[in-house]
Amino acid sequence: MENQYTQKRHVSYEELQRKCILLAELIEKSWFDPNMIVSVTRWGLLSAYFLADLLGIKSIETINIITRDGTNSWEVRDATKIPKDFTDFKALIVDDLVDSGKTMKYILNQYTFNPLETKIATIFCKKDANFKPDFFVEEISSHDWIVFPYER
């Protein structure tokens, strides 16, 4: 499947932080009370930090997933070095964007979580994604390319 991005949208640090505030409010209103954030790195790390601060969560763990590697390949590659079991935690998995949903499906299939105590939060979610997070701030077109402030 070839991606056809027709619109670039630049997101500033300030906008990302505002959207994280909105995301934290959605999570708080849901009564889900995580005690750990699992960040999809590298892209989701800044959002994870903002959410940890806003929600008062002291523990952030990372899963290093690579889907964009400078080539035309969009396959999910796991660069995490340590196997992780998150079953003892109320885990909030955080990324900046759900594009196709492949990354989140991979994480849920390859890592151990308590399904009753795990939620997924992203800033953006593509309308045609095959996977919808539990919490997201903005649904965007599949033709939108989000340029985050930490991208070159």
Side-chain angles (χ1 to χ4, degrees):
M1 182 176 100
E2 188 174 319
N3 293 315
Q4 297 295 323
Y5 298 109
T6 57
Q7 302 181 87
K8 269 191 179 182
R9 176 173 162 196
H10 292 267
V11 174
S12 67
Y13 280 107
E14 293 78 15
E15 181 181 358
L16 182 64
Q17 193 169 26
R18 283 192 303 272
K19 289 192 179 299
C20 284
I21 291 167
L22 293 173
L23 189 56
E25 290 170 356
L26 288 172
I27 294 164
E28 287 174 335
K29 286 178 186 174
S30 79
W31 298 101
F32 179 63
D33 189 23
N35 57 13
M36 173 183 286
I37 286 183
V38 178
S39 173
V40 181
T41 62
R42 289 179 329 180
W43 302 113
L45 200 51
L46 188 57
S47 298
Y49 168 78
F50 284 147
L51 283 173
D53 187 50
L54 292 163
L55 297 171
I57 298 169
K58 301 296 182 203
S59 182
I60 299 176
E61 291 291 328
T62 61
I63 296 176
N64 190 4
I65 302 295
I66 301 166
T67 54
R68 292 182 258 168
D69 61 1
T71 70
N72 288 332
S73 171
W74 284 83
E75 76 180 53
V76 174
R77 291 187 301 124
D78 193 339
T80 306
K81 305 296 184 212
I82 302 168
K84 295 189 179 180
D85 180 338
F86 300 100
T87 53
D88 292 336
F89 300 95
K90 288 184 178 179
L92 181 65
I93 302 169
V94 177
D95 203 357
D96 55 6
L97 166 75
V98 167
D99 193 338
S100 67
K102 288 180 187 177
T103 299
M104 287 303 169
K105 286 180 182 179
Y106 176 89
I107 289 168
L108 292 173
N109 286 325
Q110 297 299 315
Y111 291 85
T112 308
F113 292 94
N114 178 339
L116 300 175
E117 298 289 348
T118 301
K119 302 286 184 191
I120 296 166
T122 65
I123 303 300
F124 298 99
C125 180
K126 297 266 178 121
K127 288 180 183 177
D128 62 351
N130 293 324
F131 181 92
K132 296 292 183 187
D134 298 290
F135 309 104
F136 62 93
V137 176
E138 187 176 336
E139 192 170 56
I140 61 174
S141 165
S142 60
H143 301 291
D144 288 348
W145 180 266
I146 302 294
V147 180
F148 289 95
Y150 37 81
E151 292 182 84
R152 293 182 201 199

